[in-house]
Amino acid sequence: MEKYRILVKGIVKRDGKFLLVQKWFDDNIADPYRWEFIDGEAEFGESPDEAVIRIIHEQTGITAFVDRILYTWTFMLGSECSLGLAYLCLTDEDNVILSEELNDAKWIEGMDFEEYIHNKRMLEDLEKAELY
């Protein structure tokens, strides 16, 4: 049986800065915390646009709205195919209330992405989307 998942990434922007959150990755023992954008999985029957707004609010307490899709990605894990959509989301709020699964948050300039994000493919996608 074929199975599909829809993953969403919320790249939240406010006043020219982008929100990064620090997550725990237990597969990286030496440095288990990594800076990332907000992400999660759409629930069954939920549109990706609705999912990204919900996940941003659940993880940070911020209310945002979708500006546009920046890029997409796919990968296979066993017989499961994942489709990812990265959204640029805008907000005028800056007060972040972290969910229990997050360690920290910060607003950064686009030119600082390479200092925090170490996923080369994501950096290439951000550059193609002209975010830095």
Side-chain angles (χ1 to χ4, degrees):
M1 178 181 197
E2 296 174 349
K3 183 175 178 185
Y4 294 91
R5 311 187 304 159
I6 298 174
L7 306 175
V8 293
K9 183 177 299 295
I11 300 174
V12 180
K13 185 176 181 182
R14 179 191 63 80
D15 294 335
K17 292 189 175 183
F18 299 89
L19 180 62
L20 290 182
V21 293
Q22 196 176 48
K23 296 181 180 181
W24 172 270
F25 288 85
D26 59 4
D27 64 338
N28 191 353
I29 304 302
D31 186 17
Y33 291 104
R34 293 189 206 153
W35 291 101
E36 248 287 4
F37 296 106
I38 299 153
D39 60 10
E41 185 173 348
E43 295 174 352
F44 182 76
E46 182 180 41
S47 78
D49 290 19
E50 293 169 336
V52 73
I53 296 304
R54 173 185 56 80
I55 291 165
I56 290 168
H57 191 264
E58 286 176 357
Q59 292 185 16
T60 67
I62 288 177
T63 301
F65 65 91
V66 170
D67 182 65
R68 67 184 187 273
I69 294 175
L70 295 172
Y71 61 89
T72 64
W73 73 96
T74 60
F75 65 91
M76 294 288 297
L77 189 58
S79 62
E80 183 176 81
C81 180
S82 295
L83 166 65
L85 303 164
Y87 286 89
L88 177 62
C89 298
L90 305 177
T91 187
D92 59 2
E93 300 176 19
D94 65 350
N95 188 30
V96 177
I97 302 168
L98 295 173
S99 67
E100 290 182 12
E101 63 201 42
L102 300 176
N103 185 57
D104 199 1
K106 66 172 54 180
W107 294 94
I108 68 163
E109 303 280 341
M111 65 184 173
D112 295 327
F113 284 153
E114 290 182 15
E115 183 179 336
Y116 294 94
I117 298 171
H118 303 291
N119 178 327
K120 274 187 137 168
R121 182 172 173 209
M122 186 186 308
L123 288 170
E124 289 169 2
D125 288 334
L126 292 169
E127 187 172 14
K128 285 179 195 170
E130 300 179 354
L131 292 186
Y132 80 107

